[in-house]
Each structure stands twice: as structure tokens, then as C-alpha cells.
Amino acid sequence: MSKRFEGTVALITGAASGIGAASARRLGAEGARLALLDLDEAGGSALAKELDPSGERARFWRVDVGQREEVGAATDAAAAAFGRLDVVFNNAGIGAYGEVPDLDPDTWRRILSVDLDSVYYGCRAAVPHLRAAGGGAIINTASISGLHGDYGLAAYNAAKGGVVNLTRTLALDHARDGIRTNAVCPGPIETALTRPLLEIPSLVEEFERNIPMGRLGRADEVAGVVAFLASEDASYVNGACIVVDGGVTCWTGQNNFSRALRAMPGEGGE
Ligand SMILES: NC(=O)c1ccc[n+]([C@@H]2O[C@H](COP(=O)([O-])OP(=O)(O)OC[C@H]3O[C@@H](n4cnc5c(N)ncnc54)[C@H](O)[C@@H]3O)[C@@H](O)[C@H]2O)c1
């Protein structure tokens, strides 16, 4: 594997699991030293130890990304421990279902806090360090749910839509600091977040029907795009929101005419 990140330091939130862990593995394999932040102390410490038992190339900080002081302190500590910060991946996130009339205000606040406030806190803490390093890359995990609406996902749609547009503002405001800011917008990816859904047979059927590629994505398939956005290969990519969704957002949501036509008598159907 190439060493695009040799000499650089990457900070990743939500690093203990799923897309964050896959990205830590990928950036680490390409030479980055890693600051891993997560609420999950056991998972985060285990990953840091697995990636580098000496603690020189990977270290874990327990942080609730919804708490501004915790994010600020860990970001400063990581920059001090490694001597610089070059890449910041604001990725931690949670989901919650509910239509607006039934969504309780505490759930709404928690989702907005963990999924959107966290990105503001992360960037607020990181930009001075990236500027000090002469520039760098911010990648935010939004979602295809930040680009379109979903049935029953009001708070998540609002938060991820906010991440998409905050990404664009950051891209404008800090381009001349040498900081590129982009978002990755995953579609359905098999991680701890979505695994419970895969136990509901009707939802598995819907995934198979509605995802053009016919399967959920893997966390490492998102990590590859994160690594691209973090790297010099993306040196002129700024303010982009890149979908990694197997084609889900290509679709208007209209009926599947091909399937209907195939099912007609004399058209290869019955
Ligand atoms: N899996 C998908 O289908 C999918 C699709 C689109 C977007 N996303 C987004 O990708 C990101 C990563 O999700 P994932 O699928 O890898 O899920 P995951 O549950 O596997 O990983 C999320 C990680 O974030 C951590 N976390 C949760 N709340 C936190 C907090 N308050 N402070 C610090 N860490 C916290 C968890 O401990 C966990 O390690 C999220 O922002 C999610 O919204 C996921």
C-alpha cells in the first residue's frame, strides 16, 4: 500500500467502530499517525493498541463529541502529543427514528448535538492546529440522508443536512488557509448502526430492491473515499459532498418500470 500520509497526523472521531475504525486502519496503513476519539473506551483503546501497541503512532482519547470542552481538550492534547494535526475526520454519529409529532425534544437535541454540533466543535478546535501546520484536510461524515429526506428520520435528516451545508461554508472560509473541507455521504453501510435493521426481513428485502448494486456497502468502501479526500490526490477537491451509496441517490424514487415491464406477459415474465 502507498504511504500517502507518511509524516502526517490524522484525528478521527467515532474511531472505535464501523466507518471510523475502517478509516483509521486505512489512513494508518498509508502512514498516518492517529488520534482516535470515541465514547467507547474499550473499543477505542483496543483499536489503538492493535494499530500500535507502543502508542507512538496511534492513541485513544475518550470523548463525547457532543461536549464542546471535551472535543476541544482532546484535539489540543492530540496536537500536542503528535506535534501537529493535518487531517480531521469528524465522523462520530448516531441515529434515531421518529416523525416530528412523536419525536421527543430530548431525542431531537441529542441527535442534533452528536451529529451536527459535534462537527462545529470539531472544526472549531481543529482549524487553528491545521492553520499552524500550513493547511490540511477536514472530512465530515454527512449521509445521503443529508441530501434528501427519509421517511421517519426527521432529526437525522436535519442534522446531516446541516453537516452538508456547514461543510460548504468551511470550504469557503478556510480555502485560503490551505484547508480543504469535504463531506462523505454514505448510503446504507453495514456497521453497528445498521446491523439491527438487517434483522428485520422486510427491511432486508427493501434494501435488496432499492439499492441498485443490490447490497449494503462495507465500511472500508467508505474509508477508501475518506483517504482520497484526505490525500493530495484530492488537492483541488474542496466543498464536495461525495456519495458512497451503490447508486441509491441516482434514483428519482419513481416506480421500477424495467421490473414492471419484465413481469408483463410476453416480455420475459409469466
Ligand atoms: N452505516 C450507515 O449506513 C451510515 C450511512 C450514512 C452515514 N453514516 C454515518 O457514518 C458515521 C459512522 O457511523 P457507523 O455506521 O460507522 O456507525 P458505528 O455505530 O459503527 O460507529 C459510530 C461510532 O461513533 C461513536 N459515537 C457515538 N456517539 C458518540 C459520541 N457522542 N461521542 C463520541 N463517539 C460517539 C460510537 O461509539 C461508534 O464507535 C455516523 O456519522 C453515521 O451517521 C452511516
Side-chain angles (χ1 to χ4, degrees), residues 14 16-20 38-40 63-66 91-94 110 114 141-143 156 160 186-189 191-194:
S17 172
I19 292 166
D38 205 292
L39 202 52
D40 172 3
V63 167
D64 180 344
V65 294
N91 164 73
I94 52 174
R110 182 75 186 142
V114 175
T141 300
S143 169
Y156 191 75
K160 293 298 189 179
I189 307 297
T191 66
L193 195 70
T194 50

Side-chain angles (χ1 to χ4, degrees), residues 13-22 37-41 43-44 61-67 70-71 89-95 110 113-115 118 140-146 156 160 163 184-195 197 207 216-217 219 222 244:
T13 72
S17 172
I19 292 166
L37 277 55
D38 205 292
L39 202 52
D40 172 3
E41 181 138 32
W61 281 266
R62 187 197 176 277
V63 167
D64 180 344
V65 294
Q67 300 296 326
E70 290 186 27
V71 174
F89 182 28
N90 294 302
N91 164 73
I94 52 174
R110 182 75 186 142
S113 164
V114 175
D115 289 355
S118 61
N140 299 323
T141 300
S143 169
I144 59 170
S145 302
Y156 191 75
K160 293 298 189 179
V163 174
V184 66
C185 295
I189 307 297
E190 191 173 346
T191 66
L193 195 70
T194 50
R195 234 159 260 141
L197 303 178
F207 276 135
L216 275 76
V222 182
V244 186

